[in-house]
Amino acid sequence: MVRVEKLVMEGFKSFKRKASIPFPEGFSVVTGPNGSGKTNIADAFYFVLGSGAARSLRAKKAHELIFQGNAKKNASEYAKVTMHLSNNSRKLPLDDDTVTVTRRVNKAGISTYRIGGRISTKQEVMNILSQASITLDGHNMIQQGDVTRIVEMNPVERRKIIDEIAGITEYDEKKEKALKELEKVADKVREAEIVLEQKDEIMQKIKSERDAALEYKKLQSMLKLVVGAGILKNLRSLEKKLESSEKGTTGKEDDIDKFTAEIKEVEKKINVFEEEMEGITEKVLKTSTLMEEAGRVSDLQSRIEMKKERIKMNESEIGRITDMVESLSTLDKRESPAVKAVLDNPGVEGTFSDLVMVPPNYKIAVEVAAGGHLGDVVVERNQHAVDCVNYLKANKIGRARFLPMDRMAMKAKPDLPKGSIGWLSDLVHHDPKYTGIVNFVLGSTVCAKNIETAKEITEKQGRYRIVTLDGDIIEKSGAVTGGFYKKGSGTGPNITQYLDSRKELERENEILRIDLDELSKELESLKGREGNVESITKLEERRMKIGREVEALREKKDKLFEKRASVQEESGKISVRQARYEASIETARMDWERYREMEKEIEESGLLGSGVTELAEKKEHMISRMDEMGPINLKAIQEFETFKEDFDEFKAKVDKVLEEKNSIEATINDIEEKKRTIFMSTMDNVAKHFRDTYTELTGGESDLRLGEANDLDSGLMIFASPPGKRLLSIDSMSAGEKTLTAFAFLFAIQNCKPAPFYVFDESDSALDKSNTKRVVDLIKRHSKLAQFILISHNDQLIKEADQVYGVSMEHGESKIIGIQLPDN
């Protein structure tokens, strides 16, 4: 049996001088305090076996493995490790009882290998050692944390360990070879399919020509039917339109005659009034000496009418102002009769304007933003609002809006836009219990200094409802309301100005009435004089009345002219349409003569139900289709049959190549099946050793399973149950149970694929005393079949070892000390 006889290190890590450690058969332990360099002995095994991994050697660069020196020790020029292996069994293919394997690295990071004293390559050394199951990636070298790492591995990573042990690489190589053959055949298939596709394109082209010939004949027969149906349908439609148009023409002519008669009647009335106007003018001219008095009368009458009209307008304005003052008085208090009626009802807190205190700077902004909500009634609960509504209905008092506090939930506000003063709801003062109400009325409104700032916010930061300090407002929709806003007392409008305006209007009316009285007296004095003045005045009044009537008649005449012109224009359009219909009907009848013998066939085809436009579209489509088809090859039918025979023969050859491709794919599937078989066999073997080892360690039960049955790509699940416990996944176990389970798994792997020696680097660190004893007993039993080298400072492990080596550190250099333990 191959085993390690000794390990010699020189300049390797903390071992400056040559240090030789003999390893007899059985169970050896290397111990020492933390930092003494004992783990470097495990690193030496990895180094001499060709590892270059930073994790395995705990060094980023190869030259870092060389003793670095310190203040008292010079640095080494190289690092060298030699492993002496017994070869009495000749498992190593060298005719020596002892085989040495050496690796040396210099400061340039260049490694050299020797085996049996001669220079060799790394690959050659690895090939020779593999004959005795000594490999770098074997599971006989357990570093610090490897046990924990198995615990922390995900199921897929654990399954890959089984892949490695099963040696399914051979099957992967066979599969790779088969895939390459498949690729070659696939190339042939692709080439053949390209040719086949080209032939198919040609065949489809010939088939297309054959189909075109058949389609062309069908189109010819259908086209005649469609054209005839279109002509007949169009002819019948034109005849109906002409009939309807003739009826419309008769009605329009009647309207024109009616308007003409009305125009003549109006002109007669105008002539009569104009003759009367000329007579009145002659009379007035004859009595010109009295014109001044007549003019004075007319002027007085006009001024009297103007003052009466002014008084009437002022009285109307006074009434409007009075109503406004009453309305504003109510608005200023924010209490309508309905609101006053419910203020003492149960659950009523008051009006919104009563419950908030507005700083002077923000009064206009709050008034504009709140609007009608200032008079809303705030109630505790929704039921109180319903009770108040029923009260108002029962007493027929009026209507009011209610804001229930239990329905006004707090809503999160968006980020405050930059440049604004703040949310308007945050700028007023109120009892905290009204926060929901205040947020409902003002919470969505931002306060800005002026309209320019508000405009900039909406253009650059998005849509907000923004009110300015002077009462301008930009709605979220984009609507803008603003202008001059009159300030008043409190938050309501100033009614004093309205009262002042009303007084001014009342004083003006008093003055107007005095003037009116004086003008009326003067007019009465003129009326008491000679009747000529009165006669002239009456004539003037009649002349003005006639003028108004003539003007009205002329307007009526103009409207009648417009109506008659509109009807005449419409009638003209109808006449033009009739002429077009008649011309179209004549043309359609001439066209129909060529298809008259097909009338029965057209009626039976159902094409007349499609409509003239649809038939025309069908006709155009068929003609267009026939034009698109171009010249027709009538020989295409025979050509198609001949070419198809050649195509079918070539396709048969392609199918044969496809069969070859399918055969290779079947071979690949067979390789996959064999790979599955060897994998499952290996897994079953590992599982058996795992169950046996776990029972040997703990007396409990255990098992290995794939995450998905028969799925080689799924993860490997580890289950175990210590005595008295139910079966658990390794992920659900305690730390100690996980460590024991991981040891059992590692030993199961080693039993499935034995190695001549095993190196454990502080793999027992997570074990307590009782579990350490179990592992030690297991190692002692297995040490009869293989060599075990453990690096540990566990007292229980050291006590049970066949031989113990101590490692100490002096001035930065590690030294080896043999330890003799008592027999007991």
Side-chain angles (χ1 to χ4, degrees):
M1 180 181 72
V2 175
R3 67 175 180 82
V4 179
E5 290 184 346
K6 65 179 176 179
L7 185 71
V8 181
M9 298 169 288
E10 182 181 357
F12 182 76
K13 286 198 165 186
S14 59
F15 292 93
K16 174 176 175 57
R17 287 176 289 184
K18 181 182 290 187
S20 178
I21 308 175
F23 290 109
E25 294 181 353
F27 171 22
S28 300
V29 173
V30 178
T31 187
N34 289 334
S36 61
K38 59 183 181 296
T39 296
N40 290 340
I41 295 173
D43 294 346
F45 277 102
Y46 278 101
F47 176 73
V48 76
L49 289 175
S51 174
R55 174 184 170 271
S56 301
L57 298 176
R58 299 180 297 135
K60 294 181 180 178
K61 300 289 181 67
H63 68 82
E64 294 177 2
L65 299 171
I66 302 171
F67 180 78
Q68 300 297 309
N70 51 45
K72 296 183 179 182
K73 305 281 186 179
N74 294 327
S76 299
E77 295 297 321
Y78 58 86
K80 182 171 74 171
V81 177
T82 300
M83 181 171 61
H84 295 255
L85 300 170
S86 67
N87 191 31
N88 295 328
S89 62
R90 292 299 188 273
K91 283 195 173 183
L92 294 173
L94 296 174
D95 193 20
D96 293 313
D97 292 337
T98 299
V99 175
T100 60
V101 178
T102 302
R103 181 182 178 186
R104 184 178 184 274
V105 63
N106 60 24
K107 288 186 175 181
I110 299 173
S111 292
T112 56
Y113 293 85
R114 289 178 181 271
I115 186 164
R118 64 181 181 83
I119 295 177
S120 181
T121 64
K122 176 183 174 180
Q123 188 59 48
E124 184 181 1
V125 172
M126 297 303 104
N127 290 340
I128 292 172
L129 293 179
S130 65
Q131 301 300 311
S133 299
I134 301 173
T135 60
L136 179 63
D137 54 357
H139 294 275
N140 60 317
M141 307 280 286
I142 309 300
Q143 286 186 284
Q144 291 184 26
D146 278 358
V147 175
T148 305
R149 194 168 293 109
I150 286 177
V151 172
E152 295 174 349
M153 277 183 179
N154 62 47
V156 174
E157 290 173 332
R158 294 190 197 117
R159 191 219 68 228
K160 289 181 180 178
I161 295 175
I162 304 298
D163 292 348
E164 182 182 339
I165 298 168
I168 56 178
T169 305
E170 175 187 352
Y171 295 97
D172 290 335
E173 290 174 354
K174 288 181 179 179
K175 180 181 176 180
E176 183 65 26
K177 183 179 178 181
L179 286 171
K180 289 181 180 179
E181 292 179 4
L182 179 63
E183 186 177 355
K184 292 179 182 178
V185 175
D187 289 340
K188 291 182 181 179
V189 170
R190 281 192 292 271
E191 292 173 0
E193 286 178 340
I194 290 172
V195 176
L196 186 67
E197 184 179 355
Q198 292 172 345
K199 287 181 175 289
D200 183 65
E201 288 178 0
I202 296 172
M203 185 175 69
Q204 291 302 323
K205 182 180 178 181
I206 298 174
K207 181 177 181 296
S208 176
E209 292 179 355
R210 181 199 64 176
D211 294 342
L214 297 174
E215 183 184 357
Y216 190 83
K217 291 181 179 180
K218 184 178 179 181
L219 285 171
Q220 280 181 322
S221 60
M222 282 296 298
L223 180 59
K224 193 172 182 180
L225 271 179
V226 170
V227 171
I231 293 172
L232 179 58
K233 186 74 176 181
N234 186 43
L235 176 59
R236 291 177 179 178
S237 175
L238 288 170
E239 288 173 345
K240 287 182 180 179
K241 289 179 180 179
L242 179 60
E243 182 180 355
S244 175
S245 178
E246 288 173 346
K247 292 179 181 178
T249 302
T250 302
K252 297 299 178 185
E253 290 175 352
D254 293 342
D255 290 341
I256 292 171
D257 293 341
K258 175 184 174 184
F259 287 133
T260 302
E262 289 181 0
I263 290 170
K264 289 180 179 180
E265 185 65 28
V266 170
E267 287 176 342
K268 287 180 182 179
K269 291 181 179 180
I270 292 172
N271 291 335
V272 171
F273 281 128
E274 286 179 344
E275 289 176 359
E276 185 178 356
M277 181 74 78
E278 290 176 0
I280 291 172
T281 302
E282 289 177 0
K283 290 180 181 179
V284 170
L285 291 174
K286 289 178 181 179
T287 57
S288 58
T289 56
L290 299 175
M291 285 300 292
E292 291 183 5
E293 292 184 359
R296 179 59 180 166
V297 170
S298 177
D299 179 61
L300 288 173
Q301 288 175 336
S302 176
R303 289 173 64 187
I304 288 170
E305 289 298 323
M306 288 176 61
K307 291 186 181 295
K308 285 182 178 179
E309 185 66 24
R310 181 62 179 174
I311 291 171
K312 183 178 179 182
M313 288 175 59
N314 287 350
E315 287 177 346
S316 176
E317 181 65 12
I318 289 169
R320 187 187 69 79
I321 290 174
T322 300
D323 294 339
M324 179 66 73
V325 169
E326 291 177 359
S327 175
L328 291 177
S329 297
T330 303
L331 179 63
D332 188 45
K333 295 177 183 178
R334 304 298 168 188
E335 297 174 4
S336 67
V339 172
K340 290 179 181 179
V342 299
L343 285 179
D344 295 329
N345 283 19
V348 176
E349 298 286 320
T351 63
F352 179 82
S353 60
D354 293 336
L355 301 178
V356 296
M357 294 180 63
V358 184
N361 291 344
Y362 307 122
K363 284 186 178 181
I364 294 177
V366 170
E367 179 184 350
V368 172
H373 286 297
L374 288 172
D376 289 356
V377 181
V378 178
V379 297
E380 289 182 12
R381 293 189 298 276
N382 193 42
Q383 185 58 46
H384 293 139
V386 175
D387 293 342
C388 289
V389 170
N390 290 332
Y391 175 79
L392 295 175
K393 284 183 178 179
N395 293 278
K396 299 181 180 179
I397 297 174
R399 298 167 62 86
R401 180 162 49 197
F402 299 90
L403 303 178
M405 292 166 61
D406 63 340
R407 291 300 179 92
M408 301 300 172
M410 292 288 292
K411 293 183 179 179
K413 299 174 183 175
D415 293 337
L416 184 69
K418 295 179 180 179
S420 63
I421 297 172
W423 293 105
L424 200 57
S425 59
D426 297 335
L427 301 176
V428 299
H429 308 299
H430 56 84
D431 191 300
K433 68 180 181 179
Y434 302 128
T435 300
I437 298 296
V438 174
N439 280 341
F440 170 74
V441 177
L442 304 174
S444 63
T445 304
V446 177
C447 184
K449 183 177 180 181
N450 50 48
I451 191 67
E452 288 76 15
T453 303
K455 172 178 172 289
E456 185 176 354
I457 290 172
T458 57
E459 289 179 349
K460 295 183 178 180
Q461 302 184 50
R463 294 179 177 244
Y464 292 89
R465 187 175 189 257
I466 306 176
V467 67
T468 65
L469 293 176
D470 52 2
D472 299 325
I473 189 165
I474 299 179
E475 300 291 348
K476 208 168 185 179
S477 63
V480 180
T481 303
F484 175 71
Y485 190 90
K486 292 182 180 180
K487 297 181 180 179
S489 61
T491 57
N494 187 354
I495 63 176
T496 303
Q497 293 178 352
Y498 291 112
L499 293 174
D500 292 343
S501 297
R502 186 172 66 181
K503 288 180 180 179
E504 290 177 3
L505 291 172
E506 288 174 346
R507 283 196 297 270
E508 183 182 353
N509 274 3
E510 290 178 3
I511 295 171
L512 287 171
R513 287 190 179 95
I514 293 172
D515 293 342
L516 184 63
D517 186 56
E518 292 178 354
L519 291 172
S520 297
K521 288 179 180 180
E522 185 178 355
L523 181 61
E524 284 297 323
S525 66
L526 290 174
K527 286 183 177 180
R529 296 184 181 182
E530 294 294 329
N532 289 335
V533 174
E534 182 179 356
S535 175
I536 293 171
T537 302
K538 289 180 179 179
L539 288 172
E540 188 66 27
E541 290 176 353
R542 176 60 180 165
R543 188 165 66 88
M544 291 176 65
K545 182 179 179 181
I546 291 171
R548 289 194 294 270
E549 290 181 356
V550 168
E551 183 65 25
L553 287 171
R554 284 174 178 165
E555 288 180 1
K556 182 178 180 180
K557 177 183 174 183
D558 291 341
K559 290 180 180 179
L560 289 172
F561 267 118
E562 290 177 0
K563 290 181 180 180
R564 186 178 68 175
S566 176
V567 174
Q568 286 173 336
E569 181 181 359
E570 191 172 346
S571 177
K573 291 179 180 178
I574 292 174
S575 299
V576 171
R577 283 199 297 271
Q578 286 178 352
R580 290 175 180 171
Y581 290 152
E582 290 171 353
S584 298
I585 288 171
E586 185 64 25
T587 302
R589 284 173 179 169
M590 292 174 62
D591 292 339
W592 173 240
E593 288 300 322
R594 292 176 304 194
Y595 298 92
R596 187 177 294 278
E597 70 277 4
M598 298 177 61
E599 184 171 359
K600 183 179 180 181
E601 187 179 356
I602 291 172
E603 293 282 1
E604 293 175 351
S605 69
L607 289 171
L608 292 176
S610 300
V612 174
T613 303
E614 187 177 351
L615 288 172
E617 289 177 354
K618 287 183 179 181
K619 172 187 172 184
E620 292 299 324
H621 174 73
M622 285 186 282
I623 293 173
S624 176
R625 175 61 185 150
M626 293 171 72
D627 290 340
E628 288 175 0
M629 293 172 69
I632 303 301
N633 180 13
L634 298 177
K635 297 180 180 179
I637 297 175
Q638 183 60 38
E639 290 176 355
F640 174 78
E641 295 299 328
T642 302
F643 191 86
K644 188 174 184 302
E645 182 178 349
D646 176 65
F647 176 83
D648 291 340
E649 181 180 347
F650 183 79
K651 189 175 182 301
K653 295 179 181 180
V654 175
D655 291 340
K656 187 174 181 180
V657 179
L658 281 172
E659 287 179 6
E660 183 181 355
K661 177 174 176 285
N662 293 335
S663 175
I664 295 173
E665 289 175 343
T667 300
I668 293 172
N669 292 334
D670 183 57
I671 291 171
E672 279 292 313
E673 187 59 35
K674 288 179 180 178
K675 174 183 172 181
R676 175 185 296 278
T677 301
I678 192 65
F679 174 86
M680 296 305 296
S681 174
T682 302
M683 180 179 162
D684 291 342
N685 193 15
V686 173
K688 178 182 179 302
H689 285 297
F690 175 64
R691 289 190 291 270
D692 294 344
T693 304
Y694 187 81
T695 301
E696 187 179 355
L697 266 176
T698 67
E701 297 180 354
S702 61
D703 196 12
L704 296 179
R705 303 172 194 165
L706 285 174
E708 297 290 337
N710 298 321
D711 184 359
L712 270 59
D713 292 327
S714 64
L716 180 67
M717 311 300 293
I718 300 178
F719 297 92
S721 61
K725 293 188 177 181
R726 61 188 180 87
L727 199 65
L728 295 174
S729 167
I730 191 171
D731 297 327
S732 304
M733 299 177 189
S734 66
E737 290 171 343
K738 287 180 179 179
T739 304
L740 275 182
T741 304
F743 263 108
F745 181 65
L746 287 171
F747 273 97
I749 292 171
Q750 292 161 5
N751 287 336
C752 183
K753 191 175 181 181
F757 66 89
Y758 298 91
V759 178
F760 288 8
D761 182 12
E762 297 193 41
S763 304
D764 58 319
S765 59
L767 297 173
D768 58 17
K769 287 185 178 181
S770 60
N771 287 335
T772 299
K773 184 65 170 65
R774 291 190 179 101
V775 173
V776 168
D777 291 343
L778 182 67
I779 290 174
K780 291 192 71 172
R781 286 191 293 272
H782 282 262
S783 66
K784 296 175 182 179
L785 302 174
Q787 187 179 23
F788 282 82
I789 301 169
L790 280 77
I791 298 168
S792 175
H793 44 65
N794 188 310
D795 294 340
Q796 184 72 26
L797 200 63
I798 295 170
K799 182 179 177 182
E800 298 292 336
D802 295 327
Q803 48 274 331
V804 179
Y805 302 95
V807 181
S808 64
M809 176 71 73
E810 293 183 10
H811 305 298
E813 180 181 0
S814 297
K815 293 184 178 181
I816 305 296
I817 303 171
I819 301 174
Q820 180 68 40
L821 295 177
D823 294 338
N824 58 352

